Structure formats: C-alpha cells, structure tokens
Amino acid sequence: MTKAELVEQVAQNINLTKKQTETIINTLFKSITEALRDGDKVELRGFGSFRIRQRDPREGRNPKTGETVQIPAKKVPFFKAGKELREMVDS
Amino acid sequence: MIKADLVDTVYQKVGLSRNEAAHIVEVIFSVMKEALRNGEDVQVVGFGNFKIRQKRTRVGRNPKTGEEIMITSRKVLTFKPSRNLRDIANGKVGRPHEAPLA
C-alpha cells in the first residue's frame, strides 16, 4: 500500500475529499517526524511506538578494500509494534 | 507524544471538530493495520516502510536457565525508516513532509 492508496482508502471511510485527507495524512506523519527530531517518543495505543535509538561509533571495514573505517555514532528511528498489531500480523 | 497530541495537531491544522479529528486519526491507523494484517506492506514516502517478514522456526535459549526451546515460525512487522527520516533524526535538514501526491 502506497501513501496514495492509503489516502484513497481513508477518504472512502470519512466525509472528506482526497485532497483534505491527504493534507491530514501528511500532517500526521510530519507531526510524528518532528517529535522524533526533537528526541520525543511517540506512543500510539493499538499501533505501536516510535523512538530514536542511539548507535555507538564503531569500526567498520570496506568489504572491497579491507580498509578499516570509523563509523560515527548516529541516531536511528525505531518502531516497535504494539501487542495488538503484533498479534494481528501473526494470526 | 501520544495519539491525543496527534489528534490536536490535526484538529488545529484543518477545520474539523476535535471528535472528527479523533475519528480520522483512528481511521488512518486502522486502514494501515488492515493492510498489514493482510500481509501487505505500507509504504509512506518520506517517512518509511512497514513490512511483514516471515520468520522460520529456530532453536532459541532461555538466557536465564540456559534451557533450549523451539521458537515457532511467525510473522513479524518491521519498519524501515526512509533516508529522509534518518537524516532528520541526525539533525540534517531533510524535506518537510508536505510533498503533494503524484
């Protein structure tokens, strides 16, 4: 399912145009993105939670040349599915 | 941030009642869940992809007791953040999530 298909299906279930629905869906993902940017976690009951995981710096290796390279510390957005969604997916 | 905060943002952004905003947010997540339940991926450009992966049966170990146990085959949900979201998480500017649909 792409975002366009999501917009389409949501619009069918509510009393709004596709354009309005698209604005709302964009607002929603933008809002989650901004929360994560600010280091906040986002907990959505029945769905799951988003947060930022901190990765330590480490030594990596260029697989082609065998050369050792430093991989800097970084932050990785992480999603954990909630219980309801986990069970739904596995049924 | 919890769902109520998302509802507030939607409510302030568009001219809807708070109840309508709450309903729409519920519908958005339930449409996504329904797709995932059917084994379908959900791809949100500029945000990330939700994907179902099939895991095979494997032998695991109870880390406390050392006892070996069978972990049954199962389906799990993974989220792969988009380049945009990873960049934003690391303080790079990134594109705001306003790109119109093609």
Side-chain angles (χ1 to χ4, degrees), chain A residues 3 22-38 42, chain B residues 1 6 9-10 13 44-47 84-85 88 94-99:
Chain A
K3 198 172 76 177
E22 185 196 340
T23 303
I24 293 170
I25 288 176
N26 283 341
T27 301
L28 187 139
F29 286 110
K30 187 175 174 220
S31 176
I32 296 173
T33 301
E34 285 171 351
L36 291 173
R37 178 197 63 199
D38 300 340
V42 181
Chain B
M1 170 186 265
L6 275 185
T9 311
V10 169
K13 173 94 183 178
V44 185
V45 174
F47 187 75
N84 184 51
L85 185 58
I88 290 173
R95 286 167 285 127
H97 205 279
E98 297 269 42

Side-chain angles (χ1 to χ4, degrees), chain A:
Chain A
M1 168 181 272
T2 61
K3 198 172 76 177
E5 289 163 344
L6 176 63
V7 168
E8 178 115 29
Q9 285 196 34
V10 171
Q12 281 168 11
N13 279 286
I14 55 178
N15 234 345
L16 293 177
T17 65
K18 266 198 249 178
K19 186 80 209 146
Q20 291 168 311
T21 306
E22 185 196 340
T23 303
I24 293 170
I25 288 176
N26 283 341
T27 301
L28 187 139
F29 286 110
K30 187 175 174 220
S31 176
I32 296 173
T33 301
E34 285 171 351
L36 291 173
R37 178 197 63 199
D38 300 340
D40 199 3
K41 57 176 195 264
V42 181
E43 294 180 330
L44 305 168
R45 183 145 307 177
F47 191 72
S49 59
F50 295 91
R51 62 194 169 84
I52 298 291
R53 275 190 169 172
Q54 181 73 46
R55 294 258 183 264
D56 288 335
R58 60 190 173 91
E59 272 188 6
R61 209 176 268 278
N62 181 329
K64 247 187 203 141
T65 64
E67 193 187 355
T68 304
V69 287
Q70 290 301 319
I71 299 173
K74 61 183 162 197
K75 293 172 179 164
V76 184
F78 176 77
F79 173 71
K80 184 173 185 216
K83 189 162 184 276
E84 189 192 322
L85 183 55
R86 269 205 312 274
E87 287 170 357
M88 205 182 227
V89 158
D90 193 33
S91 59

